[in-house]
């Protein structure tokens, strides 16, 4: 979805809607605590800072945004069904490939390559969500293959979708995070050693 846009709203040009979200409205991301971020994005729920046990979302010191939700089969199925219905009815009919977002991905890769290795990873999603993704952009992998000369590797984890657990269809469950991270890490090591 990072290289797709709403077809009806001219989102294929600047400014992108993400500019209104937390990274767009927080000019300095290096302060701790970040009062600008808190003011612009916490919406007055400052008690969450003081009572972390009430928060289902915790940003770990290593950068991992840990989301804790009820993972009972009934709750997981309910969340997934709601998300899939929303994507089928609202996202899929309205969104499509964005040439300008794709070009920004290319520019981001070029920029990051100046500072180190760059790998593209298509993270796994629930198989039903994968089908929606394929309908949204059937040429996704072909587009990624065109970027191969710019990157140190591309890993498509979609063939492994059914091996992992998801909180809602497109977010990995806590139990699957270490497994996916380990898989990506081993793949990077193998890719490096093959060169």
């Amino acid at each position: 979805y990072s290289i797709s846009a709403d077809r009806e709203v001219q989102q294929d040009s600047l400014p992108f809607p993400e500019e209104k979200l937390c990274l767009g409205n927080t000019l300095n991301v290096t302060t701790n605590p970040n009062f600008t971020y808190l003011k612009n994005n916490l919406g007055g729920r400052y008690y969450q800072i003081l009572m972390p046990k009430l928060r289902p979302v915790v940003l770990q010191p290593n950068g991992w945004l840990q989301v804790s939700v009820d993972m009972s089969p009934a709750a997981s199925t309910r969340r997934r069904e709601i998300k899939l219905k929303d994507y089928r009815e609202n996202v899929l009919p309205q969104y499509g490939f964005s040439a300008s977002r794709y070009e920004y991905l290319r520019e981001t890769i070029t920029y990051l390559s100046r500072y180190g290795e760059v790998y593209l990873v298509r993270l796994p999603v629930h198989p039903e969500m994968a089908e929606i993704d394929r309908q949204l952009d059937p040429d996704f992998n072909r587009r990624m293959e065109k970027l191969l000369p710019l990157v140190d590797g591309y890993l498509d984890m979609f063939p492994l979708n059914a091996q992992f657990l998801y909180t809602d269809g497109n977010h990995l469950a806590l139990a699957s995070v270490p497994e996916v991270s380990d898989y990506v890490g081993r793949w990077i090591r193998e890719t490096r050693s093959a060169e």
Side-chain angles (χ1 to χ4, degrees):
Y1 295 91
S2 296
I3 60 169
S4 66
D6 187 322
R7 292 184 190 120
E8 293 178 13
V9 180
Q10 283 299 330
Q11 292 186 10
D12 221 21
S13 61
L14 294 176
F16 289 133
E18 293 88 345
E19 290 184 28
K20 296 176 184 166
L21 301 177
C22 61
L23 285 177
N25 69 31
T26 307
L27 298 177
N28 183 348
V29 296
T30 61
T31 60
N32 187 10
N34 192 321
F35 294 110
T36 302
Y37 169 82
L38 296 172
K39 180 177 89 43
N40 292 341
N41 299 286
L42 210 50
R45 298 180 312 265
Y46 302 117
Y47 65 89
Q48 292 180 350
I49 298 168
L50 303 173
M51 305 173 100
K53 291 189 181 191
L54 297 176
R55 290 185 289 169
V57 178
V58 177
L59 180 60
Q60 299 294 346
N62 65 359
W64 172 34
L65 185 63
Q66 180 181 348
V67 180
S68 301
V69 295
D70 179 1
M71 283 303 297
S72 67
S76 296
T77 299
R78 183 175 35 79
R79 280 191 306 272
R80 184 176 66 250
E81 287 173 354
I82 291 169
K83 169 123 347 156
L84 291 171
K85 183 178 189 286
D86 178 48
Y87 273 53
R88 284 185 187 113
E89 294 177 3
N90 301 314
V91 176
L92 190 55
Q94 194 168 333
Y95 277 67
F97 170 71
S98 166
S100 65
R101 286 174 178 265
Y102 181 75
E103 187 54 37
Y104 274 104
L105 174 60
R106 179 187 302 279
E107 288 180 26
T108 301
I109 292 167
T110 302
Y111 173 78
L112 293 173
S113 294
R114 291 187 258 165
Y115 301 98
E117 299 169 351
V118 176
Y119 297 92
L120 292 177
V121 178
R122 188 177 197 184
L123 290 171
V125 297
H126 188 276
E128 289 180 81
M129 182 62 77
E131 185 51 41
I132 294 171
D133 285 1
R134 286 185 194 96
Q135 291 175 43
L136 178 76
D137 188 355
D139 295 324
F140 183 85
N141 275 328
R142 184 183 56 77
R143 295 182 209 287
M144 295 304 106
E145 288 169 8
K146 287 184 176 182
L147 297 174
L148 285 177
L150 303 175
V151 299
D152 295 285
Y154 169 56
L155 173 62
D156 179 9
M157 293 189 71
F158 266 39
L160 307 175
N161 284 338
Q163 295 180 24
F164 306 109
L165 299 174
Y166 306 92
T167 62
D168 59 3
N170 63 345
H171 293 97
L172 286 166
L174 186 59
S176 290
V177 169
E179 192 178 350
V180 169
S181 295
D182 183 59
Y183 190 94
V184 172
R186 281 186 286 114
W187 172 77
I188 289 173
R189 282 191 300 277
E190 291 168 9
T191 302
R192 283 179 175 162
S193 65
E195 292 176 350

